[in-house]
């Protein structure tokens, strides 16, 4: 697929409904985002927005040689994407475009290439592990996190925000997992001091953070932890067969958290965890070849359905969440 290309498939049959750029030269996409009536993908020097219903290109932005788009984000009718050069010393810029027609709205210097949209704001993690929130309409800085508390990675949900360690960091000592006020970026509560490296998570509608941690020296080993964002209480932690193997994705399917373990999908009640019994007990799918891939397959949720995508071969499988 070409950079910033799309393929849309029927959720019920898996058949290709439309494609944009899929018949062009191969390339690597930086990421995609969907919000309302726009799907946006970035790859190389190209940022492309598509009408997901009609399957037509709405607009395209192209960068000059030597510049590259990072992963896009979109919310409230605005598309955000940072651009960067071939080396880290080159300046980086965060751009905002009107989602409907691609009209440039504003641009600001940045040191982060992965913007994080939360409501009407766009957040980035800047140098020094400092979170910065900008007004999505103007680009003006409206809040910054306390630089004395590292905030190298963000996990968010409507009305909730958590700072954790980043997935690329290494070492034996990690910053605490901290609840942050989404409006002010003020640190509200220290939730947990992890012994292993936080490496992805999701926040349930009732305020439980389901967090993946891995051993910094051996990422193939790790576990999952449930943390109550209101009380700061650790609700549960996994050991043994529930560790998820080498897969780090956790998603929400309906009201349940789902991850991959032993080639199976495992769904748990976020508050009661994998050791609950009765109606709240964990549910497991059958073994899927796409979930057995050692390259850490991708897991995506839409409603109560899940899509498995192996990292090492071209395949997709859509299943109902267990």
């Amino acid at each position: 697929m070409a950079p910033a290309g799309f393929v849309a498939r029927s959720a019920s049959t898996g058949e290709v409904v439309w494609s944009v750029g899929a018949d062009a030269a191969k390339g690597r996409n930086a990421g995609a985002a969907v919000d309302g009536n726009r799907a946006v993908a970035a790859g190389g020097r190209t940022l492309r927005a598509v009408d997901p219903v009609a399957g037509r290109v709405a607009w395209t932005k192209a960068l000059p040689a030597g510049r590259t788009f990072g992963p896009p984000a979109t919310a409230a009718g605005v598309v955000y994407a940072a651009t960067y050069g071939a080396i880290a010393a080159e300046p980086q810029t965060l751009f905002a475009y009107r989602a409907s027609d691609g009209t440039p709205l504003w641009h600001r210097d940045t040191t982060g290439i992965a913007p994080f949209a939360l409501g009407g704001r766009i957040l980035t993690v800047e140098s020094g592990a400092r979170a910065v929130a900008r007004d999505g309409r103007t680009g003006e800085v409206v809040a910054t996190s306390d630089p004395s508390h590292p905030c190298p990675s963000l996990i968010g949900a409507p009305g909730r925000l958590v700072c954790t360690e980043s997935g690329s960091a290494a070492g034996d000592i990690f910053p605490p997992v901290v609840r942050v006020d989404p409006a002010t970026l003020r640190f509200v509560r220290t939730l947990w001091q992890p012994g292993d490296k936080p490496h992805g998570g999701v926040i349930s509608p009732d305020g439980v953070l389901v967090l993946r941690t891995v051993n910094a020296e051996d990422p193939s080993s790790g576990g999952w932890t449930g943390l109550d964002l209101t009380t700061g209480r650790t609700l549960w932690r996994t050991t043994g067969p529930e560790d998820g193997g080498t897969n780090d994705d956790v998603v929400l399917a309906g009201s349940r958290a789902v991850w991959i373990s032993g080639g199976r999908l495992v769904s748990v009640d976020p508050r009661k965890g994998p050791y609950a019994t009765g109606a709240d007990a964990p549910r497991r799918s059958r073994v899927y070849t796409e979930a057995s891939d050692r390259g850490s397959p991708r897991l995506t949720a839409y409603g109560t359905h899940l899509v498995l995508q192996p990292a090492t071969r071209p395949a997709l499988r859509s299943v109902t969440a267990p």
Side-chain angles (χ1 to χ4, degrees), residues 126-132 143-152 163 175 184-187:
E126 305 288 336
S127 59
R130 181 174 59 108
V132 176
T144 60
S145 67
D146 185 342
S148 66
H149 296 276
C151 187
C163 279
T184 65
L185 298 187
R186 178 177 58 87
F187 282 59

Side-chain angles (χ1 to χ4, degrees), residues 41-42 63 67 86 92 106 130 142 168 204 229 260-261 267 307:
L63 295 174
R67 302 294 293 175
Q92 299 178 19
W106 52 264
R130 181 174 59 108
V142 293
S168 60
S204 71
L229 297 187
I260 297 172
S261 178
S267 79
V307 174

